[in-house]
Amino acid sequence: MKHIFKQGTDLTNTTLLLLHGTGGSEEDLLPLAERIDPKANVLSVRGNISENGLSRYFKRLRPGVFDEEDLKVRTHELNDFLDEAADEYGFDRKQIVAIGYSNGANIAGSLLFHYSDALTGAVLHHPMVPLRGLQLPDLSKTPVFIGAGKNDSICPSEESEELKQLLSEAGADVTLHWENHGHQLTGTEIDAAANWYRKQKNRLG
Ligand code: MLT
């Protein structure tokens, strides 16, 4: 997969996996990684799907309706890519924290729905419920931050609550942060994610 890897101060430290929104690129979220953890390694990946020239991580049938078979295939493809990238660059495969926005948050959510050990934590900005009817793996070691907008027409607030519930039922420690905005990513939401991340880091020592 097309990507950028930036080594941080210590390869054995956290690697931030950056996943952009529809129409974005692997450059988009680099400033977020800098805000969240400037010392971390960064692996920023571009989605493999092109929807009329807009990069995404999986196909959709129409806005808000996912091609579930493709989503499953792409989720496994991304997980395999994480294995390969860890081998190639020498970072710790067991220390990956995803930071995803919108479509990128949805594929990160799908990684959580499929694997107990793909990610050690996740920051999901404006995610939806990626799939329904799945038996989720044990996520008791995987803290999750969800940033949501009360007026988000793409991710209705009930869906943010539903996602929180599904992840919590799988054992994840979920923080749901609300903004009085729509689908956009605001500075206050990024600050809340950065505070959450620092708390998780302190807890892990
Ligand atoms: C998706 O397709 O993943 C969501 O609708 C978010 C987006 O618009 O990309």
Side-chain angles (χ1 to χ4, degrees):
M1 300 181 78
K2 193 163 176 0
H3 65 280
I4 295 169
F5 179 72
K6 283 171 61 182
Q7 188 172 328
T9 51
D10 179 356
L11 267 180
T12 65
N13 200 341
T14 304
T15 295
L16 298 176
L17 168 66
L18 306 182
L19 300 164
H20 61 78
T22 297
S25 83
E26 65 280 17
E27 306 276 344
D28 287 8
L29 301 187
L30 293 174
L32 275 193
E34 199 53 41
R35 288 268 292 273
I36 298 241
D37 186 350
K39 292 185 177 163
N41 308 304
V42 175
L43 179 65
S44 189
V45 182
R46 186 187 295 196
N48 264 347
I49 296 293
S50 169
E51 186 188 78
N52 304 319
L54 302 179
S55 294
R56 291 175 51 84
Y57 293 95
F58 56 89
K59 293 181 190 161
R60 59 182 165 183
L61 304 176
R62 54 182 182 277
V65 182
F66 301 158
D67 178 333
E68 295 194 356
E69 285 319 304
D70 189 64
L71 173 53
K72 287 177 192 168
V73 169
R74 298 294 166 187
T75 301
H76 297 308
E77 178 183 59
L78 178 58
N79 193 54
D80 289 346
F81 175 73
L82 297 179
D83 295 342
E84 287 159 24
D87 279 348
E88 183 180 347
Y89 296 114
F91 64 81
D92 185 350
R93 175 67 183 86
K94 294 192 161 40
Q95 296 262 32
I96 298 179
V97 174
I99 303 177
Y101 169 62
S102 191
N103 184 242
N106 292 338
I107 191 104
S110 184
L111 280 174
L112 295 172
F113 272 38
H114 284 91
Y115 301 99
S116 66
D117 56 357
L119 303 172
T120 46
V123 173
L124 307 178
H125 293 292
H126 302 261
M128 297 165 69
V129 174
L131 290 158
R132 291 189 172 79
L134 278 192
Q135 174 71 42
L136 270 59
D138 176 11
L139 294 172
S140 52
K141 294 198 179 75
T142 317
V144 180
F145 174 95
I146 298 175
K150 291 208 165 128
N151 304 307
D152 189 335
S153 54
I154 297 174
C155 308
S157 50
E158 309 81 63
E159 193 155 338
S160 309
E161 298 282 4
E162 184 186 350
L163 180 61
K164 178 182 179 186
Q165 191 182 334
L166 290 169
L167 292 169
S168 302
E169 282 168 6
D173 177 1
V174 185
T175 299
L176 177 52
H177 170 84
W178 287 106
E179 291 281 317
N180 282 322
H181 296 287
H183 198 60
Q184 73 268 38
L185 187 47
T186 59
T188 47
E189 182 172 326
I190 296 167
D191 287 345
N195 285 336
W196 172 89
Y197 179 90
R198 266 191 294 278
K199 273 190 209 142
Q200 305 306 319
K201 275 285 217 194
N202 290 340
R203 201 191 286 174
L204 296 172

